[in-house]
Amino acid sequence: DVETGEVTTLAGTGRQWWQGSPVSGPAREVALSSPWDVAWFGDRVWIAMAGVHQLWTYDPADGTVRAAAGTTNEGLVDGPAAEAWFAQPSGLSASPDGERLWIADSETSALRWIDRELTVRTAVGTGLFDFGHRDGPAGQALLQHPLGVTALPDGSVAVSDTYNHALRRYDPATGEVTTLATDLREPSGAVLAADDGVAGEAGRGEILVVESARHRLTRLRLPEEAVRVESVAHRTQRAATEVAPGKLRLDVVFQAPAGQKLDERYGPSTRLLVSATPPELLEDGAGQGTDLDRYVVLADGVTEGVLHVSAMAASCDDAPDIEFPACHVHQQDWGVPIRVTDDGVDRLGLVLAGLDSE
């Protein structure tokens, strides 16, 4: 409350959400996971839930939260909100007409949006492994780990392009991406500046940018003509693992760190979620379970794809002289490209903690 200085918690428990936790309910009783930004869209407060690759909403009318978009799988998949994939969504901003909620999807280096029909689409970006600094048509333009997004009065969008140290602009009317400013240091957010110097409506066409790596706020005039930069593109790709056709054993290796034990006070302390792109890659074995090892069956006729594996394990300090032992959540997501070959391996080992002895 800016008048009284009082701080009130609206949502969250102070504990981190993990797989199997409630995804809706009274806002103060549901755990959240690295909420990175909020924006008012429709009749809800939308939350960029970076920690679980989702968008959640908070309803101030009844004081509830719920998962609204994303499956918790990490990647770039458009479509109906419940089926879409995000990758650490970090910045949110509603368009002036209230028709779009713009999203800075940092790990896919993408600018995306969700509409009032709860459909997710991508304006700029292609996936987890493509990034760079390239202006031009949105289908070819590149960003690098943007953390912030700001809707502008003319319907365009300013993107805090964090690891390119730049402020970028996407214009839906032309489909073009341009560069507004360079020589920033890890810009992570921006708001429009009014004539009186406070955030709000754009009075003199200025924007206040958070330069995280310079520990300062920087005021910039929005230029009529953007600065075009030379293309710099990068692609990183994990090499495909060659696997044998048919049954494949997935082993997530977890050994509790020294001085800790598995936390089984509230049931199984481990969870494993498996899916694939394309979904037809897996004939059997997709879904969620509590064991960290599982057999999956690769479908005939699908020779390559990506296995998406998400694992979690909980452990607590194990020493009789510790009155209040600390507990820890170990979580990791993998996107493993595979290629089916007759002489491929029949086991895939992924290390969550410890050493893979096989």
Side-chain angles (χ1 to χ4, degrees):
D1 188 317
V2 295
E3 294 183 357
T4 67
E6 181 181 1
V7 176
T8 304
T9 298
L10 298 178
T13 64
R15 297 183 299 275
Q16 185 179 23
W17 186 97
W18 61 62
Q19 292 287 350
S21 301
V23 295
S24 64
R28 292 294 304 275
E29 299 175 13
V30 178
L32 307 180
S33 182
S34 298
W36 212 261
D37 200 4
V38 292
W40 182 263
F41 178 63
D43 58 354
R44 301 284 191 277
V45 176
W46 286 69
I47 306 167
M49 201 71 74
V52 288
H53 317 303
Q54 289 183 310
L55 303 180
W56 286 39
T57 59
Y58 166 71
D59 185 351
D62 61 12
T64 60
V65 293
R66 71 178 185 89
T71 65
T72 74
N73 287 332
E74 184 178 22
L76 193 155
V77 177
D78 289 340
E83 303 171 11
W85 292 18
F86 297 95
Q88 294 184 18
S90 300
L92 302 175
S93 184
S95 61
D97 61 8
E99 294 300 316
R100 293 182 179 182
L101 179 66
W102 293 101
I103 306 155
D105 203 29
S106 63
E107 281 295 307
T108 54
S109 296
L111 172 65
R112 307 174 72 184
W113 84 86
I114 186 169
D115 61 24
R116 284 186 170 272
E117 286 70 45
L118 300 184
T119 300
V120 177
R121 296 183 173 88
T122 298
V124 183
T126 57
L128 287 167
F129 306 112
D130 291 288
F131 60 92
H133 194 158
R134 179 191 291 157
D135 284 338
Q140 302 176 14
L142 293 173
L143 310 170
Q144 186 171 183
H145 203 89
L147 290 177
V149 62
T150 309
L152 301 178
D154 66 353
S156 65
V157 187
V159 180
S160 296
D161 195 7
T162 308
Y163 288 175
N164 279 329
H165 309 293
L167 188 67
R168 312 286 294 283
R169 176 176 177 262
Y170 167 68
D171 186 352
T174 64
E176 291 284 316
V177 175
T178 51
T179 297
L180 295 174
T182 56
D183 194 32
L184 302 171
R185 286 296 174 263
E186 296 188 12
S188 58
V191 294
L192 296 171
D195 283 332
D196 59 5
V198 300
E201 298 296 328
R204 295 173 294 173
E206 292 185 338
I207 192 167
L208 291 173
V209 181
V210 176
E211 286 194 82
S212 296
R214 280 191 174 133
H215 316 292
R216 73 183 190 186
L217 301 178
T218 300
R219 183 186 293 267
L220 300 174
R221 179 175 293 277
L222 292 172
E224 294 183 5
E225 297 293 334
V227 179
R228 192 178 183 91
V229 302
E230 296 297 325
S231 299
V232 180
H234 301 280
R235 180 173 179 85
T236 60
Q237 176 69 57
R238 174 174 175 160
T241 299
E242 294 189 349
V243 300
K247 185 179 289 187
L248 174 68
R249 179 183 169 191
L250 284 180
D251 270 341
V252 174
V253 177
F254 177 75
Q255 299 168 358
Q260 298 180 24
K261 65 178 180 179
L262 289 175
D263 179 12
E264 297 180 336
R265 294 171 297 168
Y266 307 109
S269 61
T270 56
R271 291 185 180 88
L272 181 66
L273 179 66
V274 179
S275 61
T277 302
E280 297 78 20
L281 177 65
L282 289 180
E283 179 180 309
D284 190 31
Q288 181 174 301
T290 58
D291 294 329
L292 292 182
D293 61 287
R294 179 186 306 182
Y295 281 101
V296 299
V297 178
L298 305 174
D300 292 336
V302 184
T303 59
E304 60 183 9
V306 178
L307 287 177
H308 302 280
V309 182
S310 179
M312 186 276 290
S315 63
C316 293
D317 292 341
D318 183 22
D321 58 336
I322 299 178
E323 182 177 2
F324 301 107
C327 295
H328 316 267
V329 174
H330 312 263
Q331 188 163 348
Q332 179 70 44
D333 298 322
W334 295 271
V336 184
I338 64 169
R339 183 180 302 112
V340 180
T341 61
D342 289 336
D343 56 353
V345 299
D346 60 3
R347 175 186 177 271
L348 181 62
L350 301 170
V351 176
L352 179 59
L355 296 173
D356 188 1
S357 59
E358 293 190 40

